[in-house]
Amino acid sequence: MLGAGGGSIAWVDDGGALRVGPQSANRAKWFLMTGERVSGEQVLEMGLVNFLVEDNGIFDKALACADQLAAGPAEAIRASKVPINHYIRMISNLVLPLSLSLEGATMRSQDAVEAQRAFVEKRPPTFGMR
């Protein structure tokens, strides 16, 4: 299971979901706002991962992927990465400064203090719209 802290720890994440594409970001938004955990099947459906592998099969899957890429046309594979990586960097450059400033601001909020206090006290947090 994966989980984004935003909704459960009361601060904004660094905007990582926005760097995966607008459709995936929109679908991931609920989990970012609520802090609900996300199953492997859900992240696969959202397009945030390419494969689901059992823990004991991850090394074999990684080697199979590496072998598949190594057997392919190296120049074309490298060239296909360039525009995708450029897009990811462009989106990151647009979103990351704002996301980080909001993350910092919300980390110091009353809700964040309550979330940390509740965690230490092993109880559910009580958030309030202030």
Side-chain angles (χ1 to χ4, degrees), residues 1-2 5-6 9 14 18 21 25 31 40 42 54 63 72-73 81 85 97 101 104 109 112 116 120 123-125:
M1 298 286 273
L2 294 174
I9 60 175
D14 68 0
L18 296 176
F31 300 103
Q42 288 171 305
E54 294 295 329
L63 288 177
K81 291 172 50 178
N85 289 343
S101 69
S109 71
Q116 295 162 26
V120 170
R123 62 172 173 79

Side-chain angles (χ1 to χ4, degrees), residues 59-74 77:
F59 188 70
D60 291 336
K61 182 61 176 178
L63 288 177
C65 289
D67 287 343
Q68 182 179 355
L69 290 171
I77 290 171

Side-chain angles (χ1 to χ4, degrees), residues 32-98:
L32 293 170
M33 292 187 305
T34 64
E36 284 184 25
R37 298 184 61 80
V38 185
S39 71
E41 290 80 11
Q42 288 171 305
V43 294
L44 181 65
E45 183 185 324
M46 284 186 253
L48 299 176
V49 298
N50 293 328
F51 312 103
L52 291 183
V53 181
E54 294 295 329
D55 289 348
N56 61 355
I58 195 163
F59 188 70
D60 291 336
K61 182 61 176 178
L63 288 177
C65 289
D67 287 343
Q68 182 179 355
L69 290 171
E75 190 172 333
I77 290 171
R78 278 192 299 274
S80 69
K81 291 172 50 178
V82 170
I84 295 167
N85 289 343
H86 179 76
Y87 170 78
I88 291 169
R89 279 190 295 279
M90 180 183 71
I91 295 302
S92 294
N93 288 336
L94 290 172
V95 173
L96 193 58
L98 176 60

